[in-house]
Amino acid sequence: MRMVPRLGHIAFLNVLPLTYALAHGAAQGLDILRATPAQLNGRLEAKNLDVSGVSSITYARHADDLLILPDVCIASDGDVRSVLLVSRVPAENIGARRVLLSDKSASSHALLKIILRRAYDAAPQYETRALTPEDPVPEGAAGALFIGDDALELYHHPPDGIYIYDLAREWKQMTGARMVFGIWAAARTFAAAHPAALEMVHGRIAAAFEGWDAVKDAAITEVLSHDGRFTRAQLTEYLGSAVVWQLDEATLAGLRLFYRYAAEDGLIARAPTIELARV
């Protein structure tokens, strides 16, 4: 019987090249689960997926069980617009006040904690919960962390009286490095048992991003047909310059620095050695 790889796919606009490719032929021969990064993290950790887009911090916590796929990632080299701290007060005034964390994320939790501690000398009380753009900072909280399409909506339609901090910009200002929010990871057991299937999955993912320029207009048109929150110009800019998908040496250097800071701040047990899958 032919092996059908189980692929986890992030349901955010920041991976629209892959979403479009999967909807136009690249899903053939794959069993696909579409979910948020936090949901996919758990599925991959539980070995319910073979390959998945996941929060970059997930690899740091499970490096003994996972391999990072080469060439592809979800990163930024400055403003990203879809990972935001939304606050009632300036960040320097947060101190020990309550900050809410989106339950869709994991890497951004660690990033926010690193930035608030190191750049703003803050040690908030954190609480993870579901958040909505309609009520971005619920009563009793000083701020809230948003990611993905909800964050992008708030970036373009900021509420009155709210401070917005782009965490990728904050990271760039603090470190000079790129920030890697997501990676594609494979279970080591799957990679060892099914190298040809892993190569096929990696090829589909990499080809989607390599071929993005040729389908960008059509893909954005599809989004605009059912999502009225954004304009064509906003999506074209977001998916043309804000998001970085190439896992090159500069991006890997940013990932290693993120892991180092996360380990120093007690957010992961240790900074892992990054091991790329052989495909």
Side-chain angles (χ1 to χ4, degrees):
M1 181 179 294
R2 184 172 178 273
M3 199 274 168
V4 179
R6 300 168 298 175
L7 173 65
H9 179 56
I10 298 170
F12 286 162
L13 284 170
N14 61 11
V15 290
L16 182 59
L18 182 55
T19 301
Y20 186 82
L22 292 173
H24 293 81
Q28 184 176 357
L30 300 176
D31 180 9
I32 298 173
L33 172 66
R34 293 169 172 82
T36 67
Q39 291 167 333
L40 295 176
N41 297 345
R43 291 295 190 98
L44 188 61
E45 292 161 15
K47 299 181 172 59
N48 292 326
L49 293 168
D50 301 313
V51 178
S52 185
V54 291
S55 303
S56 58
I57 203 75
T58 293
Y59 177 78
R61 292 169 175 157
H62 301 276
D64 291 343
D65 299 320
L66 301 175
L67 296 167
I68 293 179
L69 268 61
D71 308 316
V72 288
C73 67
I74 306 167
S76 65
D77 192 16
D79 295 28
V80 74
R81 304 171 191 164
S82 55
V83 182
L84 306 177
L85 169 64
V86 183
S87 181
R88 294 183 186 275
V89 299
E92 54 267 27
N93 294 340
I94 287 178
R97 299 174 69 177
R98 186 163 160 253
V99 171
L100 306 178
L101 304 174
S102 167
D103 62 358
K104 298 178 180 179
S105 177
S107 293
S108 301
H109 290 190
L111 178 62
L112 178 63
K113 292 174 182 178
I114 289 168
I115 289 170
L116 286 181
R117 189 182 85 82
R118 292 173 179 253
Y120 294 100
D121 195 27
Q125 304 171 50
Y126 291 106
E127 177 188 337
T128 301
R129 56 176 283 185
L131 297 168
T132 66
E134 293 73 27
D135 185 21
V137 188
E139 194 68 32
L145 169 69
F146 278 81
I147 71 163
D149 301 354
D150 289 344
L152 192 61
E153 179 180 355
L154 286 168
Y155 178 89
H156 287 295
H157 306 284
D160 292 336
I162 292 292
Y163 297 85
I164 290 184
Y165 297 86
D166 186 315
L167 295 193
R169 178 198 298 171
E170 295 286 321
W171 172 259
K172 182 72 173 181
Q173 289 176 341
M174 189 172 73
T175 68
R178 292 181 177 179
M179 176 61 206
V180 181
F181 294 100
I183 48 103
W184 277 265
R188 287 179 182 265
T189 51
F190 170 73
H194 303 284
L198 177 63
E199 185 175 0
M200 181 267 284
V201 174
H202 172 263
R204 301 270 183 93
I205 296 170
F209 293 105
E210 289 168 1
W212 172 237
D213 285 345
V215 301
K216 178 168 59 178
D217 288 344
I220 290 174
T221 296
E222 282 195 7
V223 172
L224 295 174
S225 71
H226 60 79
D227 190 337
R229 293 176 294 174
F230 311 108
T231 67
R232 180 178 293 276
Q234 288 167 351
L235 292 184
T236 299
E237 189 173 13
Y238 176 59
L239 297 166
S241 60
V243 184
V244 173
W245 294 302
Q246 182 63 37
L247 188 62
D248 55 17
E249 283 306 314
T251 313
L252 284 168
L255 182 59
R256 292 188 182 97
L257 183 61
F258 174 53
Y259 288 158
R260 194 187 95 196
Y261 280 12
E264 290 175 356
D265 290 6
L267 304 173
I268 55 176
R270 60 183 174 83
T273 299
I274 293 175
E275 188 171 350
L276 301 179
R278 299 179 66 178
V279 291

